[in-house]
Amino acid sequence: MADTAPSLLIVGARLVNEGQVTEADVLVTGGRIAAIGGDLSSRRADLVIEAQGKYLLPGLIDDQVHFREPGLTHKADLASESRAAVAGGVTSFMDMPNVNPATLTAELLEERCALAAAASVANYAFYLGAANDNLDRIRRLRPGAACGVKVFMGSSTGNMLVDQPDVLAGIFRDAPGLVAVHCEDDPTIRANERIWRARHGDDVPMDQHPVIRSREACLKSSQLAVELAGEHGTRLHVLHLSTAQELDLFSPGPVDGKRITAEVCVHHLWFSDADYGRLGGLIKCNPAIKSADDRTALRAALRDGRLDVIATDHAPHTRQEKASPYFGCPSGLPLVQFLLPALYALCAEGVLTLPELVEKACHNPARVFGVAERGFVREGWWADLVLLDPQRPLTARDDLVLSKCGWTPLAGVTFPATVDTTIVSGQVAWRDGRIGPACRGQRLAFTPARA
Ligand code: DOR
């Protein structure tokens, strides 16, 4: 249990927190941060971690993952994927409802929390899924039971498209709390699919995915979401933006006070359509990875605040499933295990600074969702922490992958830093390449969302 976890003293780290990088020691007792100070070396602790030369960050909060349990556990499960998460510096995750059965009721949501309580080494929350026929259940959702309501305004893995205008309006008007949306206009995609199927049969070249799942489809749907939110005063969070054109829908600046926030995923910041030739179906995902110009625009929007949060949309499928021709190849890719190393590589490239990384991957997810007492390194708050070693490069390989699918689209990439240690609610979840087997995550608690 977290509150009986052994005490920890982290000595000599470079703490990256709340916009600053400072030399600091951190003492953890009872799962929480007991003290942050310039020199706490005289304090006693069960475990002392010498962290000279390493960065200490709040644990990352990934607001979009697909850990596939229940029902799709041949691809992934809560134990395997939460292990991959802590190896990637992620201490809390928010899991999507497109499992089997889909998470369309409060009862199913509680069942998933019970599964996670038994199996997850990271902290967890689940979205309630929206469907064309569960508006009443959405209205009755207890505040704090879910991290939000997830609406597939474009179809993807699972059969969860919400396309009835009156239902969409009802969700945007009545959902208690945050509404998170996947935006791709389905009729546009279906029309494109018909054209490409007529040309190529089932074997459409993978690099046509962003032409079929087009920028027009993304923009049309994101525009509708933003319009509906304006009309109904919805607390809207638009997931995985992928095009330059959509970015003008969002306001720059800090997240506080925004009613409409936006997320970008690491694969849209990392890959471009030039990578389909090399990686093919492995990087097929929805929304599709688009051009290098889109990637440049997404990176810029991250810095000016039009994009508030970075996540993974970790969506594992088996290697065999991914080897299928276009129409049989499921969309989604596993990313959570390399999230922090990949983001640090973007820092090394000058795409963002380390304090900005912490803002977008730790502080802002906590602010956007109103996560209680996590996402920041603060005395009295839960000790969700990551030590990153910038002197130890890491080369991603399939045989290092802890996700059940056993592959990574980043195989062969050398990152300039390694996740040395991950602490979840004061427990060692990951250290020196090994999982802390006794570690258990906690259910995330939510205050009324601040943003
Ligand atoms: O590429 C994707 N895969 N996008 C989604 O929206 C769903 C996800 C999955 O569950 O496989």
Side-chain angles (χ1 to χ4, degrees), residues 64-68 72 75 96 98-99 150 152 154-158 182 184 209 213 239-240 267-268 283-288 313-317 322 330-333:
Q64 190 182 183
V65 303
H66 300 265
F67 284 179
R68 308 292 194 208
L72 300 169
K75 297 177 195 271
M96 286 294 165
N98 56 336
V99 284
K150 168 69 186 289
F152 281 92
S155 56
S156 195
T157 304
H182 175 132
E184 287 184 288
H209 189 52
R213 291 227 166 215
L239 301 168
H240 44 41
H267 45 297
H268 294 118
I283 58 164
K284 181 182 186 229
C285 59
N286 303 334
D313 194 8
H314 175 83
H317 298 283
K322 289 297 256 180
S331 289
L333 54 166

Side-chain angles (χ1 to χ4, degrees), residues 2 20 41 57 72 87 102 173 299 309 339 359 364 375 409-410 422:
Q20 299 196 324
S41 55
L57 280 57
L72 300 169
R173 195 183 53 233
R299 290 173 172 189
V309 167
L339 178 58
E359 189 81 359
N364 280 356
L410 295 164
T422 305

